[in-house]
Amino acid sequence: MLNKIKALEAIALGLEPDQETRATFREQVVRHSEKFLETIEELPAYLMTEDQGVGLLAAPLSEEGISMSEALELVAHNVDRPGLNPASGGHLGYIPGGGLYLSALGDYLADITNRYSGIFFPNPGAVRMENMMVNWMASLVGYPETAAGTLLSGGSLANLACIVTARDAKGIKAREVERSVIYLTSQVHHCVTKAFRIAGLGEAIIRYVPLDAHYRMDAEALADLVEADRADGLNPFLVVASAGTTDTGAVDPVDLIADTAAAHDMWLHVDAAYGGFFLLVEEGRKIIRGLDRSDSIVMDPHKGLFLPYGTGAAIVKDGKRLAESHHYTANYLQDALKYDGEMSPADLSPELTRHFRGMRMWLPLKVHGLAPFRAALEEKLWLTRWFRQQLMEIPNMEVGPEPDLSVTLYRYVPPQGDANHFNERLTQHVHEDGRVFLSSTKIDGVFYLRLACLSFRTHLHTIENCLQMLRDCIGRVKEELNMVSG
Ligand SMILES: *Cc1c(COP(=O)(O)O)cnc(C)c1O
């Protein structure tokens, strides 16, 4: 038996490379990542390929390992190359972010030490670090010290945690769901409506509040709807506002919405996954007002703080509500709360064992300081406004409303022919071109292109490239549709 154990040990030791091998691996991985970063300006923001990374499947897992350089070759060809390049400053579609280098190093540290960040008792420092990040965000929002929150994988799970909390805080039992009413706009992110279903609220009554001309929630219409529902004997319990919608970047009038929520004792949740960090700049604070009056909020550090994907924050003003919906046992919560009021992430979300997400946020914020984050965010606001101004110089270009934040809509309206068809073709040409990546949307049947400016790598020259690319692509569509060039 001892011989068997020793033989197994000899093979298992393959999992623990020695110092020299570690250095070689590290150097190979760093060289690979450096090559990527050094060419990031020239790499396409979007690359259409035939193979779509299928080469990975040609190299299935096997008993014998392969060399690091072979592995990196597979990554370079099949993962780094095809499709969207979200690390590029030219990523101006959906909602970008970029991916800070210091977050990658933070992840490296977190993964090497593998601290257990779920519970305070085994790893007080790791939990304090995460809670410190949450408390900082809570103070940005203007929440009092009663607030608590947690870092999850992204905005979708963070919204879910808040919706579940709202449901429980308002005492919505299964038998009451059908007469319970939730208010939101058609512009709310789809993960919120998905969260209703997961949270057992799929049969609740959903009221889509009309939008104003800026795609913001019409607060007066909300008040009328709630009053009518009350008069009908229904139970309005939740309103979901957005501080920066994904599609149009619109910021709902949270302060006015809060008046209605307060008057009817409703939970006010704000999805600020995209827009929340614009609170770091004065220009943003002029637009995003009244967040302190909400009951819960979601902010995505992997958007507005430029972290790599994998971090979204759920924060609840009355933090014990979040714990009441998510803690494991009442006795256990008692313990967790004993430690100087430091809550454990495991009591604040469905997760137990989890990635130590605090480190990837704390390290860049501490080492860079806040100033460059504020500057990068304000730069994005002005770049978006400048882009829109420049678009207005292009004949037949129609622009959407003045942007609240850093998303703007536009479309080309050809003198003859179907505008939707033209803009669909334009989007296709933009994707084939790939210098920068833009995405499109449809609002009330009208096809628009969007610009979403949020990567820390996007600067003036990126927007200039984008404008040039749009001009080129408009020309190509005209040629394709046999329109007279002009
Ligand atoms: C991105 C986004 C979400 C979803 O967040 P993920 O991090 O992608 O899960 C939710 N709401 C808004 C407003 C968003 O922009």
Side-chain angles (χ1 to χ4, degrees):
M1 188 155 73
L2 280 184
N3 284 343
K4 188 167 177 78
I5 290 173
K6 281 184 184 158
L8 290 170
E9 178 181 306
I11 303 170
L13 275 174
L15 296 178
E16 184 72 282
D18 61 20
Q19 197 185 13
E20 201 181 315
T21 317
R22 286 202 300 275
T24 312
F25 282 164
R26 202 165 51 237
E27 200 211 312
Q28 286 172 295
V29 168
V30 167
R31 207 183 316 131
H32 179 95
S33 59
E34 279 303 304
K35 197 168 143 201
F36 179 80
L37 285 180
E38 278 162 18
T39 51
I40 190 91
E41 286 285 325
E42 297 98 62
L43 288 173
Y46 188 80
L47 184 66
M48 282 187 181
T49 65
E50 293 273 308
D51 59 281
Q52 296 181 313
V54 77
L56 279 179
L57 308 182
L61 298 181
S62 56
E63 290 302 317
E64 292 293 318
I66 60 173
S67 71
M68 178 62 87
S69 50
E70 283 171 293
L72 292 176
E73 197 49 49
L74 285 169
V75 172
H77 191 77
N78 297 296
V79 185
D80 296 349
R81 198 179 54 96
L84 177 64
N85 180 0
S88 162
H91 175 25
L92 299 164
Y94 313 121
I95 300 286
L100 294 174
Y101 190 68
L102 286 185
S103 287
L105 295 185
D107 277 344
Y108 181 75
L109 289 176
D111 292 355
I112 293 288
T113 59
N114 202 22
R115 302 309 294 204
Y116 193 92
S117 67
I119 299 173
F120 183 81
F121 167 68
N123 267 275
V127 171
R128 275 191 206 282
M129 186 181 272
E130 288 207 19
N131 287 352
M132 180 184 165
M133 295 299 95
V134 167
N135 292 338
W136 173 69
M137 289 184 275
S139 68
L140 266 183
V141 172
Y143 279 173
E145 283 192 359
T146 53
T150 183
L151 299 179
L152 289 158
S153 61
S156 299
L157 282 198
N159 272 304
L160 176 63
C162 292
I163 299 299
V164 166
T165 304
R167 178 198 68 195
D168 296 349
K170 292 299 169 193
I172 308 297
K173 300 283 187 285
R175 63 181 176 278
E176 291 145 17
V177 168
E178 284 183 3
R179 48 176 291 279
S180 301
V181 197
I182 302 172
Y183 303 82
L184 37 76
T185 74
S186 58
Q187 289 295 314
V188 94
H189 194 278
H190 72 267
C191 76
V192 171
T193 37
K194 188 165 143 185
F196 296 154
R197 217 174 349 113
I198 302 170
L201 295 168
E203 277 124 31
I205 301 163
I206 307 281
R207 297 267 185 253
Y208 286 96
V209 183
L211 300 166
D212 70 11
H214 280 78
Y215 308 113
R216 303 174 189 139
M217 184 185 286
D218 179 339
E220 267 178 44
L222 169 72
D224 293 346
L225 282 171
V226 176
E227 259 152 49
D229 286 334
R230 264 272 141 81
D232 282 348
L234 300 173
N235 179 25
F237 79 101
L238 170 63
V239 52
V240 178
S242 308
T245 58
T246 311
D247 227 9
T248 71
V251 177
D252 289 336
V254 178
D255 43 357
L256 301 179
I257 294 167
D259 290 340
T260 298
H264 296 276
D265 195 27
M266 297 162 73
W267 187 277
L268 172 54
H269 172 63
V270 178
D271 181 0
Y274 151 59
F277 289 103
F278 283 104
L279 288 170
L280 283 168
V281 302
E282 208 190 318
E283 280 303 313
R285 286 194 298 272
K286 283 186 200 157
I287 296 197
I288 308 175
R289 288 192 314 263
L291 293 194
D292 58 315
R293 297 182 61 200
S294 67
D295 295 292
S296 57
I297 192 163
V298 164
M299 294 167 81
D300 260 1
H302 69 200
K303 290 177 178 165
L305 281 185
F306 324 121
L307 264 58
Y309 293 139
T311 308
I315 310 174
V316 175
K317 182 192 268 170
D318 183 0
K320 68 178 188 303
R321 294 292 191 184
L322 183 63
E324 277 163 9
S325 291
H326 293 97
H327 72 85
Y328 183 52
T329 64
N331 296 342
Y332 185 69
L333 176 67
Q334 215 178 355
D335 271 354
L337 288 173
K338 235 172 28 197
Y339 299 105
D340 293 333
E342 281 294 332
M343 295 209 190
S344 291
D347 287 320
L348 302 174
S349 89
E351 294 183 326
L352 178 56
T353 305
R354 55 208 282 284
H355 181 57
F356 175 16
R357 301 187 182 102
M359 183 71 95
R360 59 190 348 247
M361 180 167 170
W362 179 87
L363 192 69
L365 287 171
K366 286 302 291 175
V367 174
H368 292 309
L370 293 177
F373 287 91
R374 294 187 206 275
L377 285 163
E378 190 174 347
E379 180 194 22
K380 302 305 165 274
L381 293 177
W382 295 116
L383 283 176
T384 310
R385 279 153 187 70
W386 186 78
F387 171 76
R388 184 169 169 277
Q389 276 176 15
Q390 298 301 304
L391 279 185
M392 291 193 272
E393 309 278 306
I394 300 178
N396 301 323
M397 192 61 98
E398 180 188 293
V399 297
E402 179 80 20
D404 281 344
L405 299 172
S406 70
V407 176
T408 194
L409 299 183
Y410 48 96
R411 64 184 189 131
Y412 189 85
V413 184
Q416 79 265 29
D418 180 41
N420 275 7
H421 180 62
F422 191 101
N423 288 286
E424 273 169 42
R425 293 306 307 154
L426 180 56
T427 307
Q428 179 67 20
H429 277 279
V430 164
H431 291 174
E432 278 168 24
D433 185 290
R435 273 176 277 176
V436 307
F437 179 80
L438 300 167
S439 57
S440 67
T441 187
K442 234 178 202 167
I443 297 185
D444 296 332
V446 179
F447 192 104
Y448 288 98
L449 278 83
R450 300 163 66 252
L451 174 108
C453 184
L454 198 64
S455 169
F456 71 101
R457 292 197 174 105
T458 301
H459 303 292
L460 187 58
H461 69 91
T462 331
I463 302 297
E464 284 168 341
N465 281 343
C466 177
L467 288 160
Q468 188 53 49
M469 188 199 65
L470 274 172
R471 287 191 201 94
D472 295 347
C473 288
I474 289 168
R476 285 176 213 155
V477 179
K478 281 183 181 166
E479 253 172 53
E480 180 184 288
L481 301 177
N482 287 318
M483 289 179 178
V484 194
S485 216

